[in-house]
């Protein structure tokens, strides 16, 4: 049987240059491919990849928000690495690590478009949502 090796979500955006810069400069992804017509890019960080696709659609409506869950082996270590690059984002775009009731420890980052990125790992819920 063939092995399924990766899932690579398409993330829609209105400004591909800003979105590429966000993933590259703030989240540590590398650009594997970038095309101009239509605006398209493939970015990767270790075994995680995303495909960015530029669109003229209005992505500002809450119903159009996209979400991508990225599993990591140590969410606090990744937060320590990325936190300085995320610190100057406007309020409401970043949520520091916290424990979820569904036994995950996560931090959240809103990208330059309409996608909420959730970074998380398995973690026993201790009744304490924060930290």
């Amino acid at each position: 049987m063939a092995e399924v090796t990766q899932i690579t979500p398409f993330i829609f955006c209105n400004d591909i240059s800003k979105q590429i810069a966000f993933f590259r400069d703030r989240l540590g992804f590398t650009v594997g491919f970038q095309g101009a017509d239509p605006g398209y890019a493939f970015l990767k960080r270790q075994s995680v990849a995303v495909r960015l696709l530029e669109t003229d659609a209005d992505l500002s409506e809450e119903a159009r928000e996209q979400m991508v869950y990225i599993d990591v082996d140590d969410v606090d270590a990744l937060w320590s690495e990325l936190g300085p690059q995320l610190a100057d984002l406007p309020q409401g775009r970043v949520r520091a690590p916290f424990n979820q009731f569904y036994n995950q420890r996560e931090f959240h980052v809103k990208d330059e478009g309409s996608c909420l990125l959730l970074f998380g790992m398995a973690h026993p819920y201790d009744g304490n949502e924060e930290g």
Side-chain angles (χ1 to χ4, degrees), residues 69-85:
Y69 200 98
I70 301 171
D71 293 283
V72 302
D73 67 349
D74 187 338
V75 75
D76 293 301
L78 184 60
W79 174 256
S80 292
E81 176 188 337
L82 298 180
Q85 290 87 258

Side-chain angles (χ1 to χ4, degrees), residues 87-99:
D88 66 340
L89 289 175
Q91 187 173 358
R93 289 206 28 210
V94 178
R95 185 170 183 192
F98 65 101
N99 298 334

Side-chain angles (χ1 to χ4, degrees), residues 35-105:
D37 192 22
Y40 169 82
F42 175 84
L43 293 94
K44 190 164 187 168
R45 179 179 170 143
Q46 297 163 325
S47 63
V48 173
V50 295
R51 298 172 189 273
L52 305 178
L53 190 59
E54 193 169 44
T55 180
D56 291 333
D58 180 3
L59 299 175
S60 64
E61 297 176 29
E62 188 174 316
R64 293 189 181 213
E65 181 177 73
Q66 305 164 84
M67 295 174 68
V68 174
Y69 200 98
I70 301 171
D71 293 283
V72 302
D73 67 349
D74 187 338
V75 75
D76 293 301
L78 184 60
W79 174 256
S80 292
E81 176 188 337
L82 298 180
Q85 290 87 258
L86 302 173
D88 66 340
L89 289 175
Q91 187 173 358
R93 289 206 28 210
V94 178
R95 185 170 183 192
F98 65 101
N99 298 334
Q100 290 279 26
F101 69 92
Y102 46 82
N103 295 331
Q104 292 287 109
R105 182 160 176 79

